[in-house]
C-alpha cells in the first residue's frame, strides 16, 4: 500500500514552454502533498505544501507564479513549471501524506525535467 | 532552529561488513524521525520511522535504527551489507503543529566486493 506515482518520469522541453507534472496517490487519500526539488548529489528542497482544495503554501524563495501547484482532489496534485528556462532543469519529487499527525510521507519516483 | 545533520557525505564498506550511518537532529520537542533510501534517479523509499515507544526501531531490508534522546541521534545500522544496499540515505525529522519535515544532506553508501 501507500503508492505514489508521478507522470511523466522524464520530460524534455524547450525554453519558454510550460510543463505539467502529475502526482497521484494510488491507494490512499492524500490530505497533504509536497513538492520537492533535488539538485544533483544534494538533498531535497521543499518547494511547497498543498492541501486538497486549498492554495499551496510556498517556501521562501520559490516563485509561486512560476511553479503553479494545484491539488484538485485527494489523490491528485499537479506542478506546472511555467515559461521554463534551463535553470529549472532538475529532479522534481512529490510526496503525499495521509494525515496531519504522523507526517509520514510516501514519495513518488520523481520526474527529471530538462529544459533546452 | 530545527536541523538534521548527517556528518558523513559518503561511506564505503565491504560487502558483508556491518554499517552505521550517523544522524543528529535539533528539534525542540519529541521528534518524528525517519530514514529514507534513494537509488539513482528514483524517489525515496521509507526504511523505518520512529514516533514513540521502543527506541530501537526495525525497518525493511534488515535495517534498524536507535533513537538516543540524550545524544539527539538516530543512527541507522545494518549487521551485514549487501551490494544492493549501495544508494543514498537520508535522515529526516518531522513533527506536529505544522512543522515541516527536514531532510539531512544525505550519505552516499558505496559497497565494495
Amino acid at each position: 500500500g501507500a503508492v505514489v506515482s508521478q507522470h511523466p518520469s522524464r520530460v524534455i522541453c524547450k525554453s519558454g514552454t510550460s510543463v505539467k507534472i502529475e502526482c497521484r496517490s494510488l491507494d490512499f487519500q492524500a490530505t497533504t502533498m509536497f513538492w520537492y526539488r533535488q539538485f544533483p548529489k544534494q538533498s531535497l528542497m521543499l518547494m511547497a505544501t498543498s492541501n486538497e482544495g486549498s492554495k499551496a503554501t510556498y517556501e521562501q524563495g520559490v516563485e509561486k507564479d512560476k511553479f503553479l501547484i494545484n491539488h484538485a482532489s485527494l489523490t491528485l496534485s499537479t506542478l506546472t513549471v511555467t515559461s521554463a528556462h534551463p535553470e529549472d532543469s532538475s529532479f522534481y519529487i512529490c510526496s503525499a501524506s495521509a494525515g496531519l499527525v504522523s507526517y509520514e510521507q510516501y514519495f513518488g519516483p520523481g520526474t527529471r525535467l530538462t529544459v533546452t | 532552529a530545527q536541523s538534521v545533520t548527517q556528518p558523513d557525505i559518503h561511506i564505503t564498506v565491504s560487502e558483508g561488513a556491518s554499517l552505521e550511518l550517523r544522524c543528529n537532529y535539533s528539534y525542540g520537542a519529541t521528534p518524528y524521525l525517519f530514514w529514507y533510501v534513494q537509488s539513482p534517479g528514483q524517489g525515496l523509499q521509507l526504511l523505518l520511522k520512529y514516533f514513540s515507544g521502543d527506541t530501537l526501531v526495525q525497518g525493511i531490508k534488515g535495517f534498524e535504527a536507535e533513537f538516543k534522546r540524550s545524544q539527539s541521534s538516530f543512527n541507522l545500522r545494518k549487521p551485514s551489507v549487501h551490494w544492493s544496499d549501495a544508494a543514498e540515505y537520508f535522515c529526516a525529522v518531522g513533527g506536529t503543529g505544522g512543522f515541516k519535515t527536514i531532510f539531512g544532506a544525505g550519505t552516499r553508501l558505496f559497497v565494495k566486493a
Side-chain angles (χ1 to χ4, degrees), chain A residues 34 36 38 41-44 46 49 59 91 93 100-110 112, chain B residues 32 34 36 38 41-44 46 49 51 90 94-101 103-106:
Chain A
F34 305 85
Y36 295 86
Q38 186 179 31
K41 300 185 179 181
Q42 294 189 28
S43 189
L44 282 71
L46 180 64
T49 303
E59 294 301 300
F91 194 55
I93 305 176
L100 299 176
V101 176
S102 73
Y103 277 87
E104 181 175 344
Q105 299 177 41
Y106 300 96
F107 286 82
R112 172 73 61 194
Chain B
Y32 296 161
F34 309 87
Y36 292 91
Q38 183 182 35
Q42 301 294 317
L44 275 67
L46 179 67
K49 63 193 179 200
F51 289 165
F90 293 97
T96 59
F99 177 65
K100 297 182 288 286
T101 300
F103 289 83

Side-chain angles (χ1 to χ4, degrees), chain A residues 36-39 44-45 47 67 87-92:
Chain A
Y36 295 86
R37 184 172 180 176
Q38 186 179 31
F39 292 99
L44 282 71
M45 181 191 78
M47 299 174 66
F67 299 99
E87 57 265 30
D88 298 324
S89 298
S90 192
F91 194 55
Y92 293 88

Side-chain angles (χ1 to χ4, degrees), chain B residues 7-58:
Chain B
D8 305 304
I9 297 173
H10 55 79
I11 283 182
T12 301
V13 299
S14 298
E15 190 169 17
S18 64
L19 169 70
E20 182 170 32
L21 301 182
R22 296 183 291 164
C23 173
N24 293 96
Y25 68 89
S26 172
Y27 184 65
T30 300
Y32 296 161
L33 295 161
F34 309 87
W35 273 100
Y36 292 91
V37 61
Q38 183 182 35
S39 296
Q42 301 294 317
L44 275 67
Q45 180 182 23
L46 179 67
L47 286 175
L48 47 77
K49 63 193 179 200
Y50 170 79
F51 289 165
S52 65
D54 193 346
T55 56
L56 184 61
V57 180
Q58 301 298 320

